[in-house]
Amino acid sequence: MEIHVDMALCQSHGQCVFAAPEVFSFDEDDRLVYATSPDEGLQAAVAQAAGACPVRAIHIDSMNPVGTEPAP
């Protein structure tokens, strides 16, 4: 899975940080930082974070439904 955040849309509400703190955080200058290719085990948390984003700035590529195997 790959994550892309449209920083032009992101307003730093921080909902993604609450939903998936293993993936999203703020640095010392209050800028959003995130893992661009998190472990597949974090898929559900990343999906929840994307859904919680009020401005829909988080985009996920190559995401498999929870409980399924990746395509070969």
Side-chain angles (χ1 to χ4, degrees):
M1 125 180 40
E2 289 188 27
I3 301 172
H4 306 280
V5 177
D6 184 340
M7 297 310 285
L9 289 177
C10 180
Q11 297 175 0
S12 298
H13 291 282
Q15 297 305 312
C16 58
V17 177
F18 292 112
E22 307 89 345
V23 178
F24 301 93
S25 64
F26 289 110
D27 69 9
E28 60 277 349
D29 294 322
D30 291 328
R31 291 178 297 210
L32 180 68
V33 293
Y34 59 97
T36 56
S37 297
D39 182 85
E40 292 294 327
L42 296 171
Q43 183 172 320
V46 171
Q48 183 176 3
C53 180
V55 296
R56 303 294 184 235
I58 301 171
H59 305 282
I60 304 166
D61 294 331
S62 303
M63 191 168 191
N64 298 303
V66 174
T68 64
E69 293 296 318

